Amino acid sequence: VMLTGIVFCGGKSLRRGSDKGLLLKDGITLAEEAFEKLRSLRIPVFVSIHPLQQQTYGGIFSDHLLIADNLQPAIQCEGPLKGFVSVHRRFPRNDLIVLACDLTEMETALLQQLQSAYRSHRQQYDFFAFSNKEDVHEPLCAIYSAKRMNILYQALVMGRLRSYRLQPILSA
């Protein structure tokens, strides 16, 4: 099983009004910063985008690194979940470490700790994430096993998901 990094940049930018992955920090985009953080783990890294972002992100990353949301019309799904499932369909056997491009405070050392926990305990768990003081997991900086992603995908295809929100789905 291979661990694959995914930078989440997809979205319609409804809350912010502009594409957060394209915001600059120290002369590079937030998407590039997140990409480099995951790449420092010495794993393959890709960028999850909304199809409308293909041209813009194609100017920053090679096209083969971009994964645009792509689900069959019969599968109803919105938000980050659509990105998760699109990536899983591209790499159905890979475990995924995801990092949202706007989690700018996430340090490389913390990502390395997450990767280390995964390496040590991947046979026992299918989800690795940081949690806050209220024990709420951060779903957009976490590792998901291919097994967990397949279960999620099957539930989506069968219409068994009551919500497309990541927190209740992935932390269950």
Side-chain angles (χ1 to χ4, degrees), residues 98-172:
V98 301
L99 178 61
C101 63
D102 60 344
L103 291 179
T104 58
E105 301 302 314
M106 182 55 61
E107 298 174 8
T108 303
L110 289 174
L111 292 171
Q112 291 168 341
Q113 287 178 10
L114 188 64
Q115 183 184 38
S116 179
Y118 161 80
R119 284 182 177 156
S120 299
H121 303 288
R122 70 176 169 224
Q123 301 303 321
Q124 297 141 303
Y125 303 103
D126 61 1
F127 173 68
F128 297 84
F130 297 106
S131 56
N132 63 19
K133 294 174 189 171
E134 291 81 35
D135 204 30
V136 175
H137 298 298
E138 172 49 66
L140 292 177
C141 180
I143 297 176
Y144 302 93
S145 71
K147 177 183 171 186
R148 178 173 277 249
M149 291 305 302
N150 191 51
I151 291 168
L152 173 63
Y153 179 67
Q154 293 304 319
L156 182 63
V157 169
M158 302 299 286
R160 293 192 311 249
L161 295 182
R162 294 190 175 133
S163 166
Y164 300 137
R165 291 185 50 241
L166 289 176
Q167 193 61 269
I169 293 170
L170 297 173
S171 296

Side-chain angles (χ1 to χ4, degrees), residues 2-6 35 38-39 41-46 65 91 94-95 97:
M2 177 186 288
L3 183 62
T4 300
I6 307 294
F35 187 91
L38 287 177
R39 206 167 78 151
L41 301 176
R42 296 190 173 113
I43 58 173
V45 181
F46 297 87
L65 298 176
F91 302 109
N94 294 19
D95 294 345
I97 180 169

